Amino acid sequence: MAEKKQGVNWDLTSYFPSFDGPEMRAFKKKLAADIASIQKKAAKLPPLSARTAGDWEKLILSAENAGTRLGHLFSYVGCLSAAHADNEAYAAEEARLAGLGAEYSKFVVDLLRAFKDAPEKVFSAFVKRPRLKDIAYSLKRTREQARRTMSPAEEKLAADLSVDGFQSWERLYDKISSKLTFEMRWPDGRVETLPISRWRALMADPDRKVGRAAFEGGNRAWSAIEDPCAAALNALSGTRLALNKRRGIKHFLDQSLFGAGIKRSTLDAMYKAVHRNLEPVRDILRAKAAAMGRKGIAFFEREAPLPLKDGKTYTWEEGSAKVEGAFGRVYPALGAFYKDFVAKKRLESEARGGKRPGAFCTGSHLIGEGRVYMTFNGALGDVNTLAHEMGHAWHGHLMRGMRDWATEYPMTLAETASIFGEHILAEGVQGDPSVPEAQKLIMLDEYLTGAAVTILDITVRFEFEKAFHEERAGGEVSAARLKELMAAAQRRIFGDALEPGGEDPMFWASKLHFYRAGVSFYNYPYTFGFLLAATLFRKFKEEGPSFLPKYEAFLRLSGSDTAEGVARRSLGADIGKPEFWETAIKGLAGPLARYRELLDGVKTAA
């Protein structure tokens, strides 16, 4: 008898009846023509003034409409290529869409030019126009971005040089790191050469001997390419610092903070709370280490699960029922949404070959629908991933009917609903008598480990990147010095929860986030999002169902104001104070006490 499949398949026909069918081809043709027309008109139009305001309004409305349609295409093709990673036609279509997206972005260059030197009186009147007031925040951000630009000629030169200069350092890193292999000396004596793509999973193996062997083998490989990695990192930072100076950007954090939608004082308040409360977070790792008869952990094993003997798995029906049940009991509207989402075949979770790894939520504002992608293999972690992605889908659902440019929220707010969804599931699992204690421990271990990583590890990355940029302003930083900065940050933040000699001085080379040309400081928004979501869930526990309208208002506002403004308007909260952030960290005490209780009752593997 054929084995029953794990998971369900989505239906994408509401996007287009078929891939590359007549409807899709006509859609693309019309969109390409519209983008070209918008671009041509914008290039000829003088900057914003009382006389040109009407023309710019028309172009902005046309561009917003084109952007919605472009997003529809990107979402559709992204879904197809993820679910069928071996389909060359889908991969080729993704590449073609990237080109169309680049053409669309040229309109933004002209919009920046239009806004940069427009008189304040003219601009203020412009964003108050009836057809623009709903996207006023987005337009104001565009104007602020414009003020951070060089002359049009210099910006075009920088864009041209970026392809073969700035971005090429990221490509170099990707190329040499993707080809990297390492020697894996297995505990049983076997020696195997493996691709670096296997490295992280092996380091997180429940068998710590396997994890250490992988760590040591991998770092020998990274050490062999430390000089080109250091050159790439120095070039990326040096280019940013030079461009910042030309654009009048005073501090290397300013551009990142602008993208995150927060003030420097808010970031400082969050980190003040973190540094005040490092010990309670370190206690998570100490408890984990004690369960294994140790005093601390090594940095490489910070994401590794407890070596538990329980290996229970769930069928898709069981896992889906847990999510639906937890959502329904705690947040009925979310539970009903999930049930309807599955019934309408908007979820892809089947475990089969040919799919890309990972999970994501996407959607189209054009048709007002979301889609969730994952692969369900039966682990409790897969159930948690489902709850996480459905939180994202709920966020998108609450924004239905809103203007496209009013739904573009920053990374600092992007994970709020997804982590909130995880909290709801955790409540349901911990209170479910049918779930074995070992499974409850596994889930709690995953949550608390994630909390420790998000607070401690991410803070290490932030502290390292900040120290590196400060030194880079005075000249290139050697590979030896990069190792010193990284090891020092790990010891400072992890304290004695890090066992002696447990640092990973090569983490600056192996963490690809440091090498993204398009974004710097791709770290603190994770801590921000985790603590924010945890604080909101705690308020929900205190206030009960009466809190949910505030929470939903928070999500709807997430693309229409700064993070500070969203919190103030929807919750009456001041996230610029350390006390706000301390709520979430102190809230870990309860789960940690439960963790220790479960550890006493559940045996770990030797």
Side-chain angles (χ1 to χ4, degrees):
M1 187 171 69
E3 185 178 345
K4 186 177 180 182
K5 76 174 185 178
Q6 279 276 62
V8 293
N9 304 116
W10 54 24
D11 179 0
L12 301 176
T13 55
S14 57
Y15 279 84
F16 296 103
S18 62
F19 173 73
D20 203 30
E23 296 86 357
M24 182 177 172
R25 288 197 296 270
F27 185 95
K28 287 197 302 177
K29 184 178 180 180
K30 177 70 164 60
L31 177 59
D34 288 347
I35 289 174
S37 175
I38 292 166
Q39 183 185 320
K40 185 177 179 180
K41 291 175 182 176
K44 293 180 178 179
L45 193 60
L48 180 66
S49 65
R51 184 176 61 82
T52 63
D55 291 326
W56 276 112
E57 178 184 20
K58 290 176 185 177
L59 276 178
I60 286 170
L61 294 172
S62 296
E64 186 181 21
N65 177 271
T68 300
R69 288 181 284 152
L70 186 62
H72 179 79
L73 265 178
F74 268 110
S75 177
Y76 177 62
V77 177
C79 286
L80 288 172
S81 59
H84 307 279
D86 52 354
N87 189 303
E88 293 182 4
Y90 298 156
E93 188 63 28
E94 275 195 309
R96 284 191 290 270
L97 277 183
L100 190 59
E103 288 300 308
Y104 179 79
S105 67
K106 291 179 181 178
F107 164 76
V108 179
V109 174
D110 281 306
L111 191 61
L112 293 172
R113 170 183 59 81
F115 284 0
K116 184 174 183 178
D117 297 317
E120 186 58 42
K121 185 177 180 181
V122 171
F123 184 79
S124 295
F126 183 70
V127 297
K128 291 175 183 175
R129 286 176 167 240
R131 299 173 75 189
L132 298 178
K133 64 180 181 180
D134 290 343
I135 56 170
Y137 175 67
S138 178
L139 297 175
K140 288 175 183 177
R141 279 181 60 81
T142 302
R143 178 169 168 82
E144 187 176 345
Q145 183 183 351
R147 288 171 166 170
R148 298 165 183 255
T149 59
M150 300 178 287
S151 69
E154 289 173 312
E155 287 294 346
K156 287 177 183 178
L157 176 60
D160 287 341
L161 292 175
S162 176
V163 177
D164 295 315
F166 188 46
Q167 294 177 23
S168 66
W169 290 104
E170 177 183 337
R171 293 196 299 273
L172 173 67
Y173 175 83
D174 287 345
K175 189 171 185 177
I176 61 175
S177 62
S178 66
K179 290 184 176 181
L180 199 63
T181 60
F182 68 100
E183 187 178 70
M184 178 66 187
R185 299 172 183 173
W186 294 92
D188 62 7
R190 286 181 297 129
V191 178
E192 191 176 5
T193 299
L194 298 175
I196 204 67
S197 59
R198 295 274 307 276
W199 188 52
R200 183 175 176 180
L202 286 171
M203 282 195 297
D205 192 281
D207 185 338
R208 294 300 192 266
K209 291 180 181 178
V210 171
R212 180 164 291 281
F215 167 67
E216 292 173 350
N219 263 11
R220 283 193 294 271
W222 285 111
S223 295
I225 61 167
E226 65 177 25
D227 286 336
C229 287
L233 198 61
N234 274 282
L236 287 164
S237 177
T239 302
R240 281 197 191 98
L241 291 170
L243 287 172
N244 284 350
K245 186 176 181 180
R246 296 287 298 183
R247 288 167 174 157
I249 297 172
K250 295 180 180 179
H251 194 275
F252 54 75
L253 269 172
D254 288 350
Q255 195 70 0
S256 173
L257 291 166
F258 173 72
I262 61 172
K263 298 175 183 176
R264 176 67 185 270
S265 58
T266 299
L267 182 68
D268 290 343
M270 183 189 79
Y271 273 121
K272 188 172 185 179
V274 167
H275 285 284
R276 277 182 188 173
N277 295 276
L278 287 173
E279 285 303 314
V281 188
R282 291 169 177 166
D283 280 342
I284 295 170
L285 300 181
R286 293 188 185 110
K288 193 166 188 169
M292 297 182 288
R294 295 161 57 188
K295 291 184 178 179
I297 66 160
F299 188 78
F300 78 84
E301 59 185 349
R302 66 201 180 283
E303 295 181 277
L306 282 168
L308 294 169
K309 296 177 181 178
D310 186 272
K312 177 177 171 58
T313 59
Y314 295 88
T315 65
W316 163 252
E317 289 75 17
E318 290 171 336
S320 180
K322 286 204 176 299
V323 172
E324 184 181 331
F327 283 179
R329 284 191 298 273
V330 179
Y331 192 168
L334 179 57
F337 171 72
Y338 175 75
K339 187 175 182 179
D340 183 65
F341 198 88
V342 175
K344 288 181 176 175
K345 297 185 177 181
R346 294 178 179 173
L347 175 67
E348 166 63 49
S349 64
E350 184 184 6
R352 57 175 171 77
K355 294 178 69 173
R356 284 182 187 167
F360 62 81
C361 175
T362 184
S364 166
H365 290 289
L366 190 66
I367 57 175
E369 294 179 7
R371 293 293 188 279
V372 161
Y373 172 89
M374 65 170 296
T375 299
F376 187 87
N377 290 303
L380 193 57
D382 294 330
V383 182
N384 194 60
T385 296
L386 177 60
H388 179 100
E389 298 303 333
M390 285 307 304
H392 281 306
W394 178 242
H395 192 169
H397 174 74
L398 290 174
M399 289 182 138
R400 280 195 316 166
M402 294 179 65
R403 297 279 292 277
D404 206 20
W405 287 11
T407 62
E408 297 172 353
Y409 43 81
M411 189 178 168
T412 40
L413 303 181
E415 296 299 321
T416 307
S418 54
I419 297 173
F420 199 89
E422 289 185 41
H423 278 287
I424 293 174
L425 176 66
E427 286 280 308
V429 169
Q430 296 302 324
D432 187 344
S434 70
V435 178
E437 296 286 271
Q439 284 289 298
K440 291 180 179 179
L441 178 56
I442 288 170
M443 188 161 194
L444 196 52
D445 177 61
E446 184 174 329
Y447 171 71
L448 288 173
T449 297
V453 166
T454 306
I455 298 171
L456 299 179
D457 175 16
I458 300 297
T459 300
V460 164
R461 300 181 205 181
F462 174 75
E463 293 280 315
F464 163 79
E465 194 164 5
K466 188 156 66 76
F468 165 59
H469 273 79
E470 286 167 352
E471 292 202 12
R472 181 64 183 86
E476 290 202 0
V477 182
S478 68
R481 180 58 179 157
L482 290 169
K483 285 185 275 191
E484 290 175 357
L485 290 174
M486 179 55 76
Q490 291 170 8
R491 287 193 297 269
R492 188 166 62 250
I493 302 303
F494 277 71
D496 65 2
L498 194 68
E499 64 185 12
E503 303 89 358
D504 176 7
M506 288 302 298
F507 189 57
W508 63 270
S510 61
K511 191 62 193 175
L512 65 86
H513 285 179
F514 295 130
Y515 296 85
R516 300 302 82 173
V519 60
S520 61
F521 289 89
Y522 192 61
N523 38 58
Y524 67 81
Y526 284 101
T527 307
F528 191 103
F530 174 82
L531 295 178
L532 177 58
T535 300
L536 293 180
F537 191 77
R538 182 159 182 168
K539 288 181 178 293
F540 172 44
K541 292 279 290 179
E542 292 170 354
E543 299 180 24
S546 64
F547 175 76
L548 291 175
K550 300 177 191 175
Y551 170 66
E552 291 176 6
F554 180 96
L555 296 180
R556 280 192 292 270
L557 280 171
S558 56
S560 300
D561 206 339
T562 62
E564 295 90 351
V566 172
R568 183 178 61 253
R569 290 167 61 187
S570 59
L571 308 171
D574 183 357
I575 66 173
K577 293 183 177 178
E579 292 75 17
F580 176 88
W581 302 101
E582 286 181 321
T583 300
I585 304 175
K586 291 178 178 178
L588 293 170
L592 179 56
R594 174 63 174 153
Y595 185 61
R596 288 184 167 128
E597 180 185 322
L598 287 169
L599 280 171
D600 288 339
V602 178
K603 297 293 183 183
T604 59

